[in-house]
């Protein structure tokens, strides 16, 4: 699990990151990131969107767990106050953890430039 301080939970926060943040798409997922305007000491937060287009409940939760596992070690390396939303696409259902990790790392590098 991600620590509670590192989770995006409010719908308004998800909407803010998706609308105002930078976006990078990959075959299996899309990463949205919003950097703070001024330096802050707040912790970085991550949220996940895994919709029904990915699969049934069992498949969606499997993808969610894999994404959470991929994001956990990278969370400490994010600039303080960064908000990230990871949206899984349908091909994520058949992807391995290493494929998801490669897509996430690539997309994150692009949005944090």
């Amino acid at each position: 699990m991600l620590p509670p301080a590192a989770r995006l939970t409010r719908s308004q926060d998800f909407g803010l990151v998706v609308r105002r943040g930078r976006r990078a798409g990959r075959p299996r997922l899309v990463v949205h990131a919003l950097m703070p305007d001024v330096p802050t000491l707040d912790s970085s937060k991550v949220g996940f969107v895994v919709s029904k287009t990915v699969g049934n409940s069992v498949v969606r939760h499997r993808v969610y767990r894999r994404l959470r596992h991929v994001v956990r070690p990278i969370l400490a390396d994010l600039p303080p106050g960064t908000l990230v939303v990871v949206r899984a696409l349908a091909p994520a259902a058949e992807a391995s953890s290493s494929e998801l990790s490669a897509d996430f790392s690539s997309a994150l590098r692009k949005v944090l430039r």
Side-chain angles (χ1 to χ4, degrees), residues 15-90:
L16 177 71
V17 175
V18 171
R19 278 192 319 274
R20 295 188 54 212
R22 295 186 62 182
R23 177 179 66 89
R26 294 295 176 262
R28 296 168 197 88
L29 52 88
V30 177
V31 175
H32 301 268
L34 181 63
M35 303 285 287
D37 294 333
V38 293
T40 180
L41 295 177
D42 294 340
S43 64
S44 297
K45 295 185 178 193
V46 179
F48 300 94
V49 178
V50 185
S51 69
K52 286 187 177 183
T53 59
V54 174
N56 64 22
S57 177
V58 173
V59 173
R60 290 194 311 268
H61 284 90
R62 183 182 310 127
V63 169
Y64 172 68
R65 285 191 306 269
R66 286 182 177 165
L67 287 172
R68 199 174 58 210
H69 179 76
V70 164
V71 171
R72 188 179 310 129
I74 298 172
L75 189 61
D77 299 334
L78 291 175
T82 302
L83 303 178
V84 178
V85 172
V86 180
R87 184 166 48 96
L89 301 175

